[in-house]
Amino acid sequence: MPRISADTVAEHRANRLRALLDAGREIVASEGAEALTLAALARRVGLSRPSLYEYFRSREELVAAIVSDALPEWADKLDDAVSNAATVPEKIEAYVRTELAIITDGSHGAVVALSAHALPDAAREQIRAEHERLLAPLVSVFKTAGVQRAQLRAMLVHAMVEASSRMITPGRTEHNEAVIQTLLDQAVHGLHQPLS
């Protein structure tokens, strides 16, 4: 029996899978999406290709697993941020700041790059469902506040966050905060100031 590095075989497999997914994300973040292959991953973690096939039968399965793994983690962060805020404006601010932090932390770009690749339909459906879950906390805030077209509004705020993330520059604290404050002004106050 092969040696395991945990109390149980199931725990060992879960730990190994976690290490593989993290290593895959690191490869994409540092070398680009095209660099992610089963051979590159096997080299990175020191596994043989046959051992790797116990976890992923193809590059497509690996890509789908990495993308599907990241989205629930981000959804949980957004849920927590919104839940821990008190008022509607504070909840929107918590959502926006948390989503910006996710987008600008480096791993988001790797996952987005991977999700652009050809994936099986089942994986695409799972990713679509998880992506909707990212918007759910904001949709809920809008619905509770009586905002019309809550889903559409949440999608538009998400698009503004993505656009704003491209204006965020590491080390430019004052500039970055100006971008975030302008985004928040639009996301919060824009809800109640329709054009006449």
Side-chain angles (χ1 to χ4, degrees), residues 125-178:
E125 182 58 29
Q126 180 182 356
I127 290 165
R128 187 197 58 73
E130 288 294 343
H131 197 269
E132 283 186 11
R133 191 174 155 222
L134 296 177
L135 290 176
L138 190 57
V139 172
S140 177
V141 170
F142 287 163
K143 285 183 177 177
T144 301
V147 174
Q148 293 183 348
R149 296 183 294 279
Q151 179 77 25
L152 177 58
R153 298 269 187 162
M155 291 169 68
L156 291 171
V157 169
H158 169 73
M160 288 191 300
V161 171
E162 285 194 332
S164 298
S165 73
R166 292 189 286 277
M167 299 176 205
I168 300 292
T169 307
R172 293 188 61 201
T173 307
E174 191 174 318
H175 164 80
N176 295 344
E177 193 56 33

Side-chain angles (χ1 to χ4, degrees), residues 6-80:
D7 292 338
T8 66
V9 172
E11 213 177 306
H12 171 78
R13 282 188 59 78
N15 292 344
R16 172 75 50 88
L17 179 59
R18 173 81 270 137
L20 291 170
L21 294 173
D22 290 346
R25 280 162 79 167
E26 288 169 12
I27 290 170
V28 177
S30 63
E31 302 173 43
E34 297 305 322
L36 182 66
T37 64
L38 292 178
L41 183 60
R43 280 192 303 275
R44 174 73 63 110
V45 297
L47 277 181
S48 67
R49 289 281 292 274
S51 294
L52 195 59
Y53 289 136
E54 292 177 31
Y55 298 88
F56 311 107
R57 291 181 301 238
S58 66
R59 181 181 188 274
E60 289 73 25
E61 275 191 16
L62 170 60
V63 167
I66 291 171
V67 174
S68 298
D69 177 64
L71 294 175
E73 174 189 325
W74 296 342
D76 289 344
K77 285 181 180 178
L78 291 165
D79 274 334
D80 290 345

